[in-house]
Every structure is written in structure tokens, then in C-alpha cells.
Amino acid sequence: MIKRQTGIDMIHVPYTGASTAMNGLLAGNVTMFCGPLQLALQHIKAGSLYALGVTGPQPSPLLPGVAPLADSYPGLVFSNFYALLAPARTPTAVTAMLHDAFKKISSDPDVQSKLVSFGYQPVWISGAELSQRIASDTAKWREFIAAANLKAQ
């Protein structure tokens, strides 16, 4: 997606995971890496890596002054999110109880602080908003995969 949006000619170098890709970057085997902020943060702070941008829709509080790529390339947003899901036939009383309990936990300042220290930007959204996010992300990636003619290997 970065290649298509920016017009930069680059080659994808597959690694078995983010840690091995980070090691490849630190060793000079590759010149760029796009992955979890938590993995790169210590190297950025140590000065061994330079942050070009963040891929989320907002700047990260952990990287003040580093703009989202979407500021220069609208639509270039991709970020992870974690969600709590239950089977479709779970009784409403159970999902309501779980919703309320997890919302209370996630709004605790200590929990928020700990998540931010790990590089997460915790945001609580409703089940309806989550369903919309999943639907819009699925459509976005489906369109991108088709346009880029990507195939599973």
C-alpha cells in the first residue's frame, strides 16, 4: 500500500515475523520496515532508527513530532486493533454484562497508562461501531488486494 500510494519503487522482502524483519533492518539487510511501534520504539529512542511516519490516523503520543503518513498521502492508514468478540448467538444479557465490565476496565487510568506505555492508543467503541470498522476495513483491504493483484503464497 505504501508503494502504491507514494509511488516509491520498492521490493517486498518477506520475513517470518516482525522481530526478524526488525533484525534485518538493524543489520542493514533492508532499508525500511513497517511494523509494530512497540518493536521499534526503543531503537528510535536510542537513535539507531529514524521514524518516517506512523500508519495510524492520528499521531502517536509516543512519537511526538512524527506525523501520520496520511497527512501527506490521504488514505494511507493501516493500523491494528484489538476487539472483544462473542459468538453471534450469545444472549444479550451476557454481552451487555461483558461490555460493561470491559468498558469499566478499559477506562481505568492505570490500565490506560499501561497500554499507552506499550505503544497502544486505547479507544473504546460500541459493538455497532466495531462492526462498522470491521466492514470498512474488510472492504478497503479487499479493494486494495484486487487492485494490486495480490495472491496468497
Side-chain angles (χ1 to χ4, degrees), residues 105-150:
I105 291 167
S106 74
S107 64
D108 179 273
D110 290 336
V111 172
Q112 292 266 328
S113 176
K114 192 67 160 175
L115 290 171
V116 168
S117 76
F118 290 139
Y120 299 108
Q121 292 178 283
V123 176
W124 183 267
I125 62 175
S126 70
E129 291 170 311
L130 175 59
S131 294
Q132 176 57 41
R133 167 79 189 261
I134 292 169
S136 65
D137 276 9
T138 300
K140 172 184 176 175
W141 287 108
R142 183 175 287 129
E143 180 181 313
F144 172 76
I145 290 167
N149 197 29
L150 299 178

Side-chain angles (χ1 to χ4, degrees), residues 29-126:
N29 298 327
V30 293
T31 56
M32 190 175 88
F33 167 74
C34 184
L37 178 56
Q38 306 88 300
L39 191 59
L41 195 57
Q42 67 182 359
H43 303 292
I44 295 167
K45 287 182 176 181
S48 53
L49 293 179
Y50 178 77
L52 298 170
V54 294
T55 60
Q58 307 291 331
S60 170
L62 297 176
L63 290 175
V66 178
L69 295 174
D71 284 1
S72 299
Y73 302 97
L76 187 54
V77 173
F78 46 99
S79 57
N80 293 344
F81 66 88
Y82 296 89
L84 299 169
L85 305 167
R89 294 185 179 98
T90 303
T92 303
V94 174
T95 59
M97 182 271 302
L98 291 170
H99 174 275
D100 293 346
F102 281 108
K103 185 173 183 178
K104 181 178 179 183
I105 291 167
S106 74
S107 64
D108 179 273
D110 290 336
V111 172
Q112 292 266 328
S113 176
K114 192 67 160 175
L115 290 171
V116 168
S117 76
F118 290 139
Y120 299 108
Q121 292 178 283
V123 176
W124 183 267
I125 62 175
S126 70

